Amino acid sequence: MSLDFELLRRAPDVEAANLHAVDAADRLLLDLASEARWPAEPGRVVILGDHYGALVLGALDAGVRGIRVHQDELTGARAIDANAAALLPGLSGEYRQLPLGATLLEDASLVLLALPRSLDALEEMLAALAEHARPDVTVMAAGRIKHMNRSMNEVLGRYFAVVSASLGRQKSRVLTATGLLAAGQRPEARFPLRQSIAVGLDAPLELRAYAQTFGGAKLDPGTRFLLEHLEIPPATDRAVDLGCGNGTVGTYLAVKHPRLSVHACDQSASAVASTEATAAANGVGDRVTVVQDDALGTLPAASEQLVVLNPPFHMGNTVHAGIALKLIADAGRVLAPGGELWCVWNSHLGYRSQLEKLVGPTRQVARNPKFTVTVSTKE
């Protein structure tokens, strides 16, 4: 290959010395796909979960054309486009980014897959693939060995007759699945996931979650602690649920405060669909607007009264504060003077000084051994 993988960037995602745009699993997957011989006919290769474009650009560089791509995270999708434009500008038209579904997967004969952390996410992708791809499709799924387990083989085995594992290389491995099982032999579709939870409302809150949504259809314990203490100013008529996930916070606010309209956003397409489903299941879909966004990029500065945030502290498999600080900073940008950011965070992370710096004066509302709830006021 002529492509220099070291030139790949993560931007617009957070970049740091310990965060990389390509790993050994990407390289191994591309090498094994090449050894197995790429499909000669354009439009037969699908790539799922490519983080920043290593798989897409590697396949293009190997001569594959008409690639279809699904990347759930908006920053990842934008990074793929940016890397393609910078490193293979003449081939940017040889791939398409598509949602998980028929247009993405129909007639696919080879699917390259970056193994997700969640078994549910893996199963959701395989269920869609089994419904729409060719019967003779081959799936090659790569991951770092420390993040792989036999349950992944078992999930693949629910959909394929033969699952084999490659030799390990640089602490990475590829699982190859062939022999797609007939419809009656495969599990029935079970997404979105569903759960009813009690959160102090008149009726249980109905949660819905597609599988690539962080946390699934569960109530995150930090979110529960936040909701127990969240108070909104009396004159507030609009709230922002930043990093909406399965829609717990935004839907809770809309149910509890009928005067409120809610702007919910997440960079995950799965989370957007989950929040829409959760809001609809609780009868407030008309007051919860959900958008896929990189932080709060679609909102103008000084435009909002209230932002609620439970920031992540992982980026993929790496613990890193960069994404949380990015979200906090953008909340500070969109808040109008006097507006409030309500935030819950793992107490040991000590975000208070950053909240003071990026938003404004911050007071502690509640604290337990694990979580801290704060409110920061924009000056």
Side-chain angles (χ1 to χ4, degrees):
M1 288 187 179
S2 60
L3 179 66
D4 184 353
F5 285 109
E6 300 306 317
L7 297 177
L8 288 169
R9 299 279 306 279
R10 294 168 53 95
D13 209 343
V14 175
E15 296 193 295
N18 65 329
L19 298 174
H20 307 287
V22 61
D23 64 18
D26 296 324
R27 298 174 189 268
L28 178 60
L29 181 55
L30 289 168
D31 286 347
L32 293 183
S34 181
E35 289 178 15
R37 305 191 68 172
W38 299 99
E41 186 179 351
R44 297 294 192 194
V45 174
V46 171
I47 297 177
L48 304 178
D50 187 9
H51 299 294
Y52 300 102
L55 299 179
V56 174
L57 271 66
L60 289 172
D61 192 51
V64 183
R65 299 293 180 261
I67 302 171
R68 287 170 285 170
V69 182
H70 174 67
Q71 161 58 280
D72 179 65
E73 295 187 353
L74 182 61
T75 52
R78 288 177 174 174
I80 292 171
D81 289 344
N83 282 319
L87 302 180
L88 297 175
L91 298 177
S92 292
E94 289 294 340
Y95 72 92
R96 290 184 294 158
Q97 300 213 41
L98 297 164
L100 192 64
T103 304
L104 173 75
L105 294 162
E106 59 190 2
D107 290 327
S109 59
L110 175 62
V111 175
L112 303 189
L113 192 159
L115 283 166
R117 296 174 65 188
S118 160
L119 293 177
D120 281 340
L122 175 59
E123 183 170 355
E124 184 180 52
M125 285 188 277
L126 292 174
L129 186 156
E131 182 178 356
H132 301 295
R134 293 163 56 99
D136 61 350
V137 65
T138 295
V139 174
M140 301 180 73
R144 302 289 280 166
I145 291 173
K146 65 182 178 180
H147 301 307
M148 298 173 70
N149 55 65
R150 289 193 176 275
S151 296
M152 293 177 172
N153 301 56
E154 293 169 4
V155 172
L156 283 160
R158 295 172 197 165
Y159 294 87
F160 290 90
V162 179
V163 179
S164 61
S166 74
L167 296 175
R169 191 182 84 185
Q170 294 181 301
K171 302 180 181 179
S172 302
R173 196 182 302 280
V174 171
L175 304 178
T176 298
T178 57
L180 181 63
L181 297 175
Q185 299 174 288
R186 305 191 302 254
E188 292 186 5
R190 60 187 186 91
F191 302 99
L193 304 171
R194 301 162 182 259
Q195 186 172 171
S196 299
I197 59 168
V199 285
L201 300 172
D202 292 339
L205 198 67
E206 297 294 328
L207 297 186
R208 303 288 184 266
Y210 292 93
Q212 294 187 75
T213 303
F214 181 79
K218 298 177 182 177
L219 177 59
D220 177 85
T223 297
R224 180 182 288 278
F225 191 56
L226 172 64
L227 295 182
E228 289 172 354
H229 299 280
L230 179 59
E231 299 177 4
I232 69 171
T236 304
D237 58 11
R238 175 175 155 100
V240 175
D241 179 6
L242 173 55
C244 56
N246 61 24
T248 299
V249 171
T251 301
Y252 170 90
L253 287 171
V255 171
K256 186 171 183 178
H257 304 283
R259 71 181 185 278
L260 273 184
S261 65
V262 176
H263 176 95
C265 59
D266 201 296
Q267 72 154 328
S268 162
S270 178
V272 168
S274 299
T275 295
E276 289 175 339
T278 293
N282 291 276
V284 292
D286 60 330
R287 289 190 289 115
V288 179
T289 301
V290 195
V291 299
Q292 188 179 18
D293 203 354
D294 180 8
L296 295 168
T298 61
L299 296 181
S303 62
E304 301 299 329
Q305 304 164 290
L306 174 67
V307 177
V308 184
L309 171 64
N310 179 0
F313 59 92
H314 282 87
M315 299 193 69
N317 293 308
T318 304
V319 176
H320 198 280
I323 185 62
L325 298 182
K326 175 181 177 177
L327 296 176
I328 291 168
D330 217 26
R333 178 186 66 82
V334 305
L335 283 171
E340 295 182 347
L341 168 64
W342 283 75
C343 190
V344 60
W345 36 276
N346 292 65
S347 298
H348 72 276
L349 296 175
Y351 283 152
R352 183 162 180 170
S353 63
Q354 292 295 329
L355 288 162
E356 296 265 3
K357 175 183 176 182
L358 297 171
V359 182
T362 299
R363 64 180 174 87
Q364 179 176 299
V365 175
R367 184 183 178 96
N368 66 19
K370 190 168 184 179
F371 300 108
T372 298
V373 175
T374 54
V375 56
S376 305
T377 304
K378 182 71 173 180
E379 292 184 310

